[in-house]
Amino acid sequence: MTAYIVINIRGTVNVPHGVKKTLKLLNLETRYRATVIPDNKINQGMLLKAKEYLAWTKADSKIIAQLLKNKGEKSKTIKYSDDLVKQIGFNDIDDLAQALIDNRISISKISNLKPSFRLSPPRGGFKKSTRRMYSQGGTLGYNPDLLNILSNMM
């Protein structure tokens, strides 16, 4: 099995109630939040429900490790580090990133890590529209180019 990296691109203003509930369940309640979710039928249904507001792609262990090092937080003032990873039984951040991809652990089950990552807008801006699906020449939905955008957001 694999995992997905999911980013809320559009925010939650004037969003239907069902989509807002889905975004809350995914821990993506504000704009430019990212999370890592396992690839299963339930999560695929939630992604399709909120596809007009989210962008996602297959996760890569190097990007997840970089995301944990740069944007991982225990609280708003405490950054995530190797010491916190050792408390939950992993050797380092790279080992935790590989466990997230292999679905041995879920990001919501890690007690000393916030389930979503606060990102900034991408440096250089979005090259494509943030109001269209990827298949229509935009950014939303399943987007194989999202890893480049994510690296610009960190």
Side-chain angles (χ1 to χ4, degrees):
M1 293 187 83
T2 59
Y4 287 122
I5 296 177
V6 185
I7 301 175
N8 184 347
I9 301 289
R10 298 203 45 202
T12 56
V13 176
N14 294 331
V15 176
H17 175 71
V19 175
K20 192 175 275 195
K21 179 78 171 174
T22 302
L23 293 175
K24 183 176 174 119
L25 290 172
L26 289 171
N27 297 311
L28 298 172
E29 295 183 73
T30 59
R31 192 173 186 193
Y32 302 135
R33 287 272 180 163
T35 191
V36 178
I37 61 171
D39 181 15
N40 58 32
K41 294 242 183 226
I42 294 170
N43 288 336
Q44 287 175 0
M46 292 195 322
L47 291 176
L48 291 178
K49 173 96 175 174
K51 67 183 178 185
E52 292 89 13
Y53 300 91
L54 301 175
W56 67 90
T57 189
K58 296 273 185 192
D60 180 20
S61 64
K62 291 183 353 188
I63 291 290
I64 292 179
Q66 185 179 3
L67 195 62
L68 286 167
K69 289 175 188 171
N70 294 343
K71 296 294 182 174
E73 299 175 330
K74 179 179 179 181
S75 66
K76 279 199 174 192
T77 58
I78 301 173
K79 292 283 187 185
Y80 209 63
S81 65
D82 284 330
D83 297 333
L84 294 172
V85 172
K86 289 178 183 172
Q87 289 178 3
I88 59 171
F90 291 97
N91 296 330
D92 57 356
I93 288 180
D94 296 326
D95 190 25
L96 177 60
Q98 191 59 43
L100 286 170
I101 289 204
D102 296 338
N103 293 329
R104 286 185 281 148
I105 191 167
S106 174
I107 200 163
S108 61
K109 302 281 190 227
I110 301 172
S111 62
N112 60 1
L113 176 66
K114 284 190 170 185
S116 64
F117 306 99
R118 293 183 295 160
L119 302 174
S120 56
R123 285 186 297 275
F126 290 102
K127 304 300 182 205
K128 298 179 178 181
S129 172
T130 58
R131 295 177 185 217
R132 294 176 185 255
M133 301 301 289
Y134 180 77
S135 60
Q136 299 170 341
T139 308
L140 300 173
Y142 179 76
N143 187 346
D145 301 332
L146 192 64
L147 294 178
N148 296 332
I149 295 170
L150 182 61
S151 64
N152 287 337
M153 295 175 97
M154 285 193 273

